[in-house]
Amino acid sequence: MDEHVLTRLRQELIEGIDEKTRDGASRFFKEEVRFYGVKSSLVRKIATKYFREIKGRDKGKIFTLCEELLRSDYGEEAFIAFEWAYSLRSQYEPSDFFIFEGWLERYVNNWAKCDTLCNHTLGSFIELYPQYMEKLFGWARSDNRWVRRASAVTLILPARRGDFLPEAFMIADILLLDKDDMVQKGYGWLLKEASRAHQAEVFDYVMKNKAVMPRTSLRYAIEKMPAELRRKAMER
């Protein structure tokens, strides 16, 4: 039964291949990526359609289907897996953290997978169970660039709402001198979102650290600030 769902889902993805989308997909990535080449609006529709079929099943069985999709390494299948996991957010329980962490470590190999998993599934989990914040501080010290990026981008949506400012600064402190551009962009993005509700605090943080902060992170962090503050922050 479960195999039939994935077989039909994959057949729809194959039938939905758009040559222009397929040919342009890799332009946004420096690493080797695997995509069918299906427009994101159609991928979303397919995700919703098949979730309606499976949503009454046991959460563990749905997570198993998600993992099966992730094993294929296709970007579209990863998106569907993470959408399905996010759709179960009302059923999250503490032990689910280790499932999501396993997906991050085993299957996330580009920024798109990282951000889709972290912004929604993991971000929602941390809001429900903030005691797992400590795990993010550990991720920020990982040897895996995507796990380090995940430590920051998991807090993007809560930060946009003004939550977890001290924790955002703690993660930025750990990642401050990171040499990886995807990690620099990740924590810069976190600071930018935090600045929506806490502009003065984020500006002070940037000014305090701008002598050592990579320019990539700095530019991201101040993007939403008024021109005068941006100019001040960019002064050498």
Side-chain angles (χ1 to χ4, degrees):
M1 175 82 167
D2 288 350
E3 292 76 16
H4 292 323
V5 169
L6 297 190
T7 302
R8 286 184 287 118
L9 180 153
R10 285 169 169 152
Q11 188 55 42
E12 281 204 43
L13 286 172
I14 290 164
E15 288 167 6
I17 290 171
D18 174 75
E19 283 184 31
K20 198 171 164 191
T21 303
R22 184 188 60 204
D23 295 345
S26 59
R27 276 206 328 268
F28 301 101
F29 302 89
K30 289 179 184 171
E31 49 282 308
E32 194 77 26
V33 289
R34 200 173 186 206
F35 282 96
Y36 288 101
V38 182
K39 288 183 176 170
S40 54
S41 56
L42 179 55
V43 178
R44 198 176 287 280
K45 276 184 193 158
I46 292 170
T48 303
K49 173 183 172 180
Y50 284 95
F51 187 73
R52 278 199 295 267
E53 278 193 36
I54 64 168
K55 68 180 179 184
R57 295 186 196 180
D58 175 76
K59 181 182 66 174
K61 285 189 175 150
I62 298 175
F63 282 168
T64 299
L65 286 175
C66 292
E67 182 135 8
E68 194 57 44
L69 289 168
L70 290 168
R71 280 199 195 101
S72 77
D73 198 31
Y74 278 103
E76 293 92 344
E77 293 193 27
F79 175 86
I80 292 169
F82 297 149
E83 275 291 294
W84 286 358
Y86 178 60
S87 297
L88 296 169
R89 60 195 177 279
S90 64
Q91 299 179 44
Y92 289 171
E93 52 199 320
S95 57
D96 293 334
F97 178 84
F98 302 100
I99 292 170
F100 303 148
E101 184 177 50
W103 292 352
L104 172 65
E105 291 171 347
R106 287 194 297 278
Y107 304 116
V108 167
N109 51 16
N110 60 58
W111 63 261
K113 289 180 185 175
C114 184
D115 297 357
T116 307
L117 172 62
C118 295
N119 285 177
H120 300 291
T121 302
L122 276 160
S124 297
F125 180 91
I126 290 293
E127 286 185 289
L128 285 169
Y129 302 107
Q131 63 268 34
Y132 280 80
M133 187 70 72
E134 283 293 324
K135 298 286 187 181
L136 302 192
F137 303 145
W139 288 0
R141 296 183 170 90
S142 171
D143 291 337
N144 180 326
R145 69 193 300 210
W146 304 116
V147 175
R148 296 201 307 282
R149 181 180 171 95
S151 69
V153 300
T154 292
L155 296 185
I156 292 293
L157 297 183
R160 189 176 291 170
R161 292 191 288 272
D163 298 334
F164 298 135
L165 183 67
E167 292 84 357
F169 285 151
M170 286 170 74
I171 286 168
D173 280 347
I174 299 168
L175 300 176
L176 189 65
L177 304 179
D178 202 291
K179 298 284 193 284
D180 191 295
D181 69 319
M182 297 311 295
V183 179
Q184 293 170 6
K185 288 173 182 175
Y187 88 78
W189 181 19
L190 173 58
L191 292 174
K192 173 173 73 177
E193 297 304 336
S195 78
R196 293 172 187 266
H198 301 286
Q199 182 180 281
E201 294 94 324
V202 174
F203 182 71
D204 287 347
Y205 182 88
V206 168
M207 294 302 285
K208 185 178 81 181
N209 292 291
K210 72 173 194 168
V212 295
M213 185 184 278
R215 298 300 267 186
T216 299
S217 305
L218 192 152
R219 279 194 292 270
Y220 267 73
I222 62 175
E223 197 178 307
K224 294 289 176 192
M225 294 186 187
E228 176 60 22
L229 294 186
R230 291 202 309 273
R231 185 189 60 71
K232 229 181 202 176
M234 291 299 287
E235 283 172 358
R236 291 286 185 182

